[in-house]
Amino acid sequence: MTWTYSKEYESEAGDFINIQKAVAVIVGSFLVGIGINGFLVPHHLIDGGVIGIALILHYFFGFQTGLSMLILSIPIFLYAWYYERPFFYSSVHGLLLTSLFMDWLNPLKKVFSVSILTSSLIGGAIIGMGIGLMLRYETSSGGTDMLAKIISKSTSMDIALAIIIIDTLIISSAAFTLGIEIFLFSCLTIVIIGLITSLIKVRE
């Protein structure tokens, strides 16, 4: 009797955790979409990683940000599928939903009318909350997060350092393509994202 109860309890606990993770992915992706479209896009600010590349393509060529992010992430996910299957399963839902919300919430770029400084702070905070929430439940939006995990596992490099190196390379391109002002405020945005992500993702 005790054994049956234990098994049922474990099953219920597992279902509850899965529901929490699903909610975290949906809410987190939604927050990232709001932060990107509502606050970064109006001032041509960029984030680090794959999202940053997708935003640059959006600003210069008019490509859909979410679709670009999805396409750019394909090589990383193909690698993960063959060599790091747990990384693939933990991030694929986040990637798909984040890409969807980034394009679906595109009209938000005309809703808020705030300064570039305010956009950097608010946008960074909202995106950080979204990413941190997903990481807290051991999922992510894919892209850079997954690439950093793969690099970290392959080279023993700290994952935070891997993310910093990747983001630095991408954000540096903004200084040449988008101008020094946007570069500086984009750096501020990334710092805010990192701080909020760290605060949110840590479990009690």
Side-chain angles (χ1 to χ4, degrees):
M1 186 71 175
T2 304
W3 181 84
T4 303
Y5 174 80
S6 177
K7 288 294 185 181
E8 290 177 352
Y9 177 80
E10 289 178 3
S11 177
E12 290 176 359
D15 291 341
F16 180 68
I17 291 173
N18 288 333
I19 291 172
Q20 284 185 313
K21 180 175 287 190
V23 172
V25 171
I26 294 170
V27 175
S29 300
F30 187 72
L31 289 172
V32 171
I34 292 174
I36 292 292
N37 291 291
F39 299 96
L40 269 60
V41 171
H43 294 284
H44 284 195
L45 297 171
I46 67 171
D47 188 8
V50 175
I51 293 178
I53 299 175
L55 284 170
I56 291 174
L57 292 175
H58 174 69
Y59 297 148
F60 282 95
F61 303 105
F63 295 162
Q64 294 183 48
T65 311
L67 181 60
S68 296
M69 175 187 171
L70 184 63
I71 294 172
L72 290 168
S73 297
I74 288 176
I76 301 173
F77 273 79
L78 286 176
Y79 177 89
W81 173 260
Y82 285 105
Y83 301 105
E84 302 290 346
R85 195 67 61 88
F87 291 164
F88 176 88
Y89 287 123
S90 67
S91 300
V92 66
H93 302 97
L95 171 67
L96 294 174
L97 279 175
T98 300
S99 300
L100 175 65
F101 280 126
M102 284 175 66
D103 286 343
W104 183 53
L105 296 173
N106 182 59
L108 287 179
K109 65 184 180 182
K110 299 179 180 178
V111 172
F112 306 107
S113 180
V114 294
S115 69
I116 188 171
L117 174 60
T118 303
S119 288
S120 297
L121 297 174
I122 297 178
I126 294 175
I127 295 168
M129 286 192 298
I131 293 175
L133 182 62
M134 286 190 280
L135 290 176
R136 182 169 181 172
Y137 287 93
E138 298 180 350
T139 183
S140 73
S141 60
T144 303
D145 299 336
M146 181 177 289
L147 180 59
K149 286 180 182 179
I150 294 171
I151 292 174
S152 177
K153 187 173 181 179
S154 302
T155 64
S156 298
M157 179 187 295
D158 182 76
I159 188 169
L161 178 59
I163 290 175
I164 290 172
I165 291 174
I166 295 169
D167 285 352
T168 299
L169 291 173
I170 294 170
I171 196 70
S172 295
S173 66
F176 302 99
T177 58
L178 299 172
I180 191 65
E181 180 186 35
I182 292 176
F183 166 74
L184 293 174
F185 280 108
S186 294
C187 287
L188 175 60
T189 301
I190 289 176
V191 169
I192 298 299
I193 290 173
L195 290 174
I196 299 300
T197 296
S198 297
L199 291 174
I200 297 296
K201 77 181 182 67
V202 176
R203 285 184 176 273
E204 297 293 335

